């Protein structure tokens, strides 16, 4: 009787571990994505750490003009959205520091997320670029 209980417990634990393994095995270590901006040049969005729920996750945005010049005059923010459902507004700002715009994101739920990069430069049209971030995993 006692042995059965132990076996059941161990089996459950083993199955639980098997279920957990695939998610952690495929966690993305970092994300660096580039998009071309409408007026030329490019925007680069980088997350240096894996994307986990309820975790302060630093990100950087680099803006490079069509002539290769680094653009430091923009107001930059992300709009973090889940494509499959309505979520509360989640729009972290990114502040210019040294050579890029830096901000902190918090993903409030596990699943598929996108970051819409919003760039407003003086004298230019508002730019919105959508980056697919893939799966954010449970912390
Ligand atoms: Cu959600």
């Amino acid at each position: 009787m006692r042995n059965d209980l132990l076996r059941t417990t161990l089996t459950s634990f083993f199955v639980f571990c098997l279920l957990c393994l695939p998610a952690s095995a495929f966690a993305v270590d970092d994300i660096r994505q580039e998009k071309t901006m409408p007026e030329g040049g490019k925007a680069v969005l980088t997350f240096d750490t894996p994307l986990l729920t309820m975790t302060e996750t630093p990100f950087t945005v680099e803006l490079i003009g069509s002539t290769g010049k680094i653009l430091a005059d923009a107001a930059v923010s992300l709009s973090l959205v889940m494509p499959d459902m309505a979520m509360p507004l989640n729009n972290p700002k990114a502040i210019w520091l040294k050579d890029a715009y830096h901000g902190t994101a918090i993903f409030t739920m596990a699943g598929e997320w996108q970051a819409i990069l919003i760039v407003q430069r003086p004298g230019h049209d508002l730019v919105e670029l959508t980056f697919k971030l893939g799966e954010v995993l449970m912390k």
Side-chain angles (χ1 to χ4, degrees), residues 24 30 34 41 109 130:
S24 46
D30 54 18
E34 268 184 41
M109 190 176 162
T130 300

Side-chain angles (χ1 to χ4, degrees), residues 81-88 108-113:
V81 297
M82 297 188 85
D84 298 332
M85 73 182 80
M87 294 289 286
T108 49
M109 190 176 162
E112 192 78 19
W113 284 80

